[in-house]
Structures are given as C-alpha cells and as structure tokens.
Amino acid sequence: MAETLVDLTGKSCLVTGAASGIGRATATLMARLGARVVAADVDAVGLAHLAADHHDVLCVVGDVTEPHDVRRMVSTAVERNGRLDVAVANAGVLPLSDVLETSPEEWDRVMAVDGKGMFLTCKYAIEVMQANGGSIVCLSSISGLAGQARQAAYGPAKFVASGLTMHLAVEWAHRGIRVNAVAPGTIVTERVRALKDEPGGPEYLDQMARAHPLGRLGEPAEVARAIAFLASDAASFITGTVLPVDGGYLAR
C-alpha cells in the first residue's frame, strides 16, 4: 500500500481564525486528513457556516486578543480529545495603509490580533503540549520576511510571527514541540477580494499578481496543504522554519 505522506489521523488540532480564508481551508483539510479539529474565531456567523458544512469540526467563538478566550480554545481541544497535538495560529487582520495613513489605533489593533493573539495561542498551546510534545504552525507572510509598500502595521506584525516562530522553536525543541510558520504570498481570501473596493486596492492587486513569478495570486487551499504538512509527522525533523508559499515572490 502506498504511504500517505500527510496523515493527521487522530491528531487533536486547534485552528484559530478558522471562519474564513486560510483558516477555514486548513480546518477543513485537517478534518479530511483524519484530525479531530477545534475551529476558533471571533466571527460566530462564519463558524456557524463551517459547522454546518463540516459536522465533525467543533467550533468555539472567541477573541485571540483575550487570554481567557485563548485558554478556552485550547482547553476545549484538550477536553474533547484528551490532549492537543497541533495548534495553527492563523487569526489575523490585514489593513492596507502606509505609515501616514495608519492611525495609532489601527497599529494597536493589528498588533493585538496578529502579534499578541499569536503569542497567546502559542503560549497556551505550549503550556499543554509540554507533556507529550506537539506541533505549532504560525501564519507569517511575505510581509514578515521582506518589506512591502502599504503594509505599515501588517508587515511589522508578521515579522513578529516570523521571529516568534524561530525563538519558540529553539526554546521548546527539548520538549518535543516543533514550531514552524508559513509565509503566504497574496492569497485570494475574502479579505483580499474586498480590497478591490478599497482606495488603491485594485491597483495593489494587479501589482501583486504581476509580482508573483507564477503569474497569479494563491488560493487558501494551497497554503492549507503546506500547513498540514508542517503540522504532521511527515515534517518530524523540521522546526524553526518559515516556509514561503508565495508563487516565487521572495525568490525574485
């Protein structure tokens, strides 16, 4: 029988930001690969649609900027499955603005969700993974590995994701906890589709499509497959990496 490279059968998995986009694609794929998935998001309506489409996915409404909510997401996975094997720290917001357009309030919001939210997800996942090990996958970005225009808040927050990944990988390897990240290029999520109706959005999308050597934007399912690989035992000797899933953008 041919070996299945990515097999998540029986794995207890938590995916944040799972109501749409990359998070939803990841939760759906992991469930198909045999995982027992807890999907979390602040978007209750989006989670309800996910639950209706995938009855085997348990959904939890919560805000990743609130420590109590993140603890509840993690504890739900542990109570349901007896442990937590995989955590995908995906929740994030994506404003499109330069430094002059970015208000202090917007900076704080992006750092709270994309920075603090990722920190809390990793923190409380590691707290329960210490006994048996586990795998964490953070969502960075091409903006977390290289500079981009009109990413004054989002880009620095994704540098937090890349840095957190590397530091935690070194810090927790001795406990069998692997920490990796994916760095997507521009992906056709609901948020990215909405950019076409924002000032400068259509021009930005056209520019980004041309900037990816493969000549197109990516799809959420393409990022989800990379996340599932890093989360799985097939990546057992990989930790501390930030894997671009970017159609060649960073190779230019």
Side-chain angles (χ1 to χ4, degrees):
M1 181 180 294
E3 179 181 4
T4 300
L5 181 61
V6 178
D7 182 5
L8 296 175
T9 301
K11 297 282 190 185
S12 172
C13 300
L14 169 66
V15 181
T16 69
S20 61
I22 293 170
R24 180 184 173 114
T26 300
T28 301
L29 176 60
M30 286 184 161
R32 288 207 311 268
L33 292 171
R36 295 175 59 79
V37 178
V38 171
D41 204 295
V42 72
D43 178 5
V45 173
L47 283 182
H49 290 310
L50 174 62
D53 292 339
H54 303 279
H55 300 294
D56 52 344
V57 174
L58 178 62
C59 294
V60 178
V61 179
D63 184 344
V64 294
T65 70
E66 296 293 337
H68 174 77
D69 283 6
V70 182
R71 278 189 179 275
R72 182 165 51 84
M73 296 169 192
V74 170
S75 65
T76 298
V78 174
E79 290 164 7
R80 184 196 194 201
N81 304 319
R83 65 190 188 282
L84 178 65
D85 299 307
V86 174
V88 180
N90 167 73
V93 292
L94 172 58
L96 184 64
S97 57
D98 66 29
V99 71
L100 299 180
E101 298 165 332
T102 303
S103 67
E105 293 77 16
E106 184 174 61
W107 172 272
D108 287 345
R109 175 173 174 262
V110 174
M111 288 297 168
V113 179
D114 295 34
K116 180 184 176 183
M118 187 161 297
F119 161 75
L120 291 174
T121 303
C122 292
K123 174 181 175 65
Y124 296 129
I126 289 170
E127 190 173 78
V128 301
M129 286 179 175
Q130 292 181 72
N132 300 306
S135 176
I136 296 172
V137 183
C138 298
L139 264 291
S140 183
S141 167
I142 53 175
S143 301
L145 291 171
Q148 284 189 288
R150 307 207 72 207
Q151 302 281 315
Y154 178 77
K158 290 305 180 180
F159 268 89
V160 170
S162 297
L164 188 65
T165 294
M166 295 177 192
H167 286 281
L168 294 181
V170 172
E171 191 170 79
W172 293 99
H174 72 290
R175 300 303 290 266
I177 300 172
R178 296 185 300 105
V179 187
N180 292 292
V182 293
T186 307
I187 307 299
V188 187
T189 62
E190 293 86 344
R191 176 67 188 98
V192 168
R193 287 193 191 97
L195 290 176
K196 71 180 187 304
D197 299 319
E198 298 179 16
E203 295 81 5
Y204 173 79
L205 291 174
D206 288 344
Q207 173 191 343
M208 291 309 297
R210 293 193 302 271
H212 292 67
L214 286 183
R216 63 176 177 86
L217 304 183
E219 295 294 332
E222 294 175 301
V223 183
R225 288 193 287 270
I227 293 170
F229 166 70
L230 290 173
S232 75
D233 293 340
S236 57
F237 200 56
I238 301 175
T239 194
T241 193
V242 182
L243 174 65
V245 186
D246 66 351
Y249 181 93
L250 291 172
R252 295 172 306 159

